[in-house]
């Protein structure tokens, strides 16, 4: 199984809502990533988890809260988002954080904030 | 810091034309280099990679050679198809804690 899955595929939320994005991989990878991607732009790194511990936070606003409950799962909790947060949110995983290891991406969750 | 520069798009080609998308990088040490492809409405897929100088990555008819002397990793395909229409991202993974550094992306449109 070389797949990263993400749910939901689409999400529409108001600025006062609380929602969560979910990512799952069963490749035994120990590093997992959240990216934000605006249309026709490269992905921007948000968070990195290594062995279920937060390793990198790219100065992301606190209205985004990541969680890694176990080595296969990664969540992104959303609260009080702004319309400019509308984007494609991509999850990725790799065998480890260090080394020449490729990242495998999920299909993304397309988020619209009204 | 590390950076990647890609040729700007969009690039429009006719089916069976030759494709080159230029990618150059700046990095300390010996980064690994990648090409990712993103089809409309989808996530990124790894297309090919190279981990050291003179390595050639290849997949689905696409090729790229890691050229340390010119700090380049240009993507080529001899004969493109309509199904190759997508956005292509060049990326490097260097010494910055495993972060992938992406180029700006090049949109390719192949017409029948």
């Amino acid at each position: 199984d070389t797949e990263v899955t993400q749910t939901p595929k689409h999400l529409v939320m108001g600025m006062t809502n609380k929602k969560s994005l979910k990512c799952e991989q069963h490749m035994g990878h120990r590093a997992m990533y959240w990216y934000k991607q605006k249309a026709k732009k490269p992905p921007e790194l948000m968070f990195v988890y290594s062995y279920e511990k937060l390793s990198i936070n790219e100065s992301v606003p606190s209205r985004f809260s990541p969680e890694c409950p176990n080595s296969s799962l990664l969540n992104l909790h959303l609260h009080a988002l702004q319309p400019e947060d509308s984007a494609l949110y991509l999850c990725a995983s790799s065998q480890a954080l260090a080394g020449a290891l490729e990242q495998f991406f999920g299909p993304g969750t397309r988020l619209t904030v009204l | 810091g590390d950076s990647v520069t890609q040729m700007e798009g969009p690039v429009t080609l006719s089916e069976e034309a030759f494709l080159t998308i230029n990618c150059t990088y700046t990095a300390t040490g010996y980064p690994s280099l990648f090409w990712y492809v993103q089809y409309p409405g989808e996530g990124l897929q790894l297309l090919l990679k190279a981990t050291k100088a003179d390595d050639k990555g290849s997949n689905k008819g696409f090729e790229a050679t890691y050229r340390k002397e010119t700090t380049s990793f240009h993507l080529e395909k001899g004969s493109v198809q309509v199904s190759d229409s997508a956005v292509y991202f060049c990326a490097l993974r260097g010494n910055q804690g495993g972060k992938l550094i992406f180029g700006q992306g090049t949109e390719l449109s192949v017409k029948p």
Side-chain angles (χ1 to χ4, degrees):
Chain A
D1 184 359
T2 58
E3 195 179 20
V4 176
T5 59
Q6 290 187 244
T7 54
K9 194 170 175 62
H10 299 277
L11 178 63
V12 179
M13 60 187 290
M15 288 190 283
T16 58
N17 292 158
K18 284 185 182 180
K19 297 286 184 184
S20 296
L21 310 184
K22 180 180 171 182
C23 172
E24 197 163 2
Q25 57 88 13
H26 295 288
M27 295 179 278
H29 289 176
R30 302 316 299 264
M32 296 185 77
Y33 311 76
W34 279 116
Y35 289 86
K36 173 183 177 181
Q37 186 182 29
K38 292 283 200 179
K40 297 191 179 176
K41 296 291 187 184
E44 300 170 21
L45 184 65
M46 300 174 71
F47 302 103
V48 181
Y49 274 82
S50 178
Y51 288 87
E52 297 150 57
K53 289 188 175 9
L54 185 63
S55 177
I56 297 175
N57 176 342
E58 291 286 290
S59 303
V60 178
S62 60
R63 58 185 184 269
F64 295 91
S65 175
E67 178 196 20
C68 190
N70 61 55
S71 60
S72 301
L73 275 176
L74 186 66
N75 298 319
L76 186 63
H77 303 297
L78 314 172
H79 173 55
L81 294 193
Q82 305 297 309
E84 59 265 29
D85 296 321
S86 298
L88 181 68
Y89 287 84
L90 294 164
C91 174
S93 71
S94 63
Q95 281 187 333
L97 196 56
L101 302 168
E102 61 265 40
Q103 294 181 18
F104 294 85
F105 284 80
T109 293
R110 187 158 303 280
L111 174 68
T112 303
V113 182
L114 300 176
Chain B
D2 296 351
S3 66
V4 175
T5 302
Q6 276 181 249
M7 66 184 280
E8 290 190 18
V11 173
T12 302
L13 295 173
S14 297
E15 210 165 18
E16 299 184 3
F18 184 86
L19 169 71
T20 300
I21 300 178
N22 290 337
C23 171
T24 57
Y25 68 90
T26 301
T28 54
Y30 301 93
S32 296
L33 301 173
F34 306 88
W35 276 101
Y36 282 87
V37 58
Q38 186 171 31
Y39 298 102
E42 298 185 12
L44 274 69
Q45 297 178 24
L46 178 67
L47 185 58
L48 52 84
K49 70 172 185 178
T51 58
K52 61 184 187 297
D54 300 325
D55 265 3
K56 178 187 279 190
S58 60
N59 186 25
K60 299 182 183 179
F62 291 89
E63 294 184 339
T65 301
Y66 189 144
R67 302 278 189 207
K68 191 153 180 67
E69 64 276 11
T70 54
T71 60
S72 65
F73 193 54
H74 304 322
L75 182 69
E76 296 182 336
K77 187 176 185 183
S79 176
V80 293
Q81 306 300 312
V82 172
S83 57
D84 294 326
S85 297
V87 180
Y88 292 80
F89 291 98
C90 184
L92 73 80
R93 185 167 182 166
N95 302 316
Q96 297 180 21
K99 289 170 62 172
L100 265 181
I101 309 298
F102 287 95
Q104 286 303 303
T106 302
E107 184 177 10
L108 171 67
S109 178
V110 180
K111 306 295 184 188

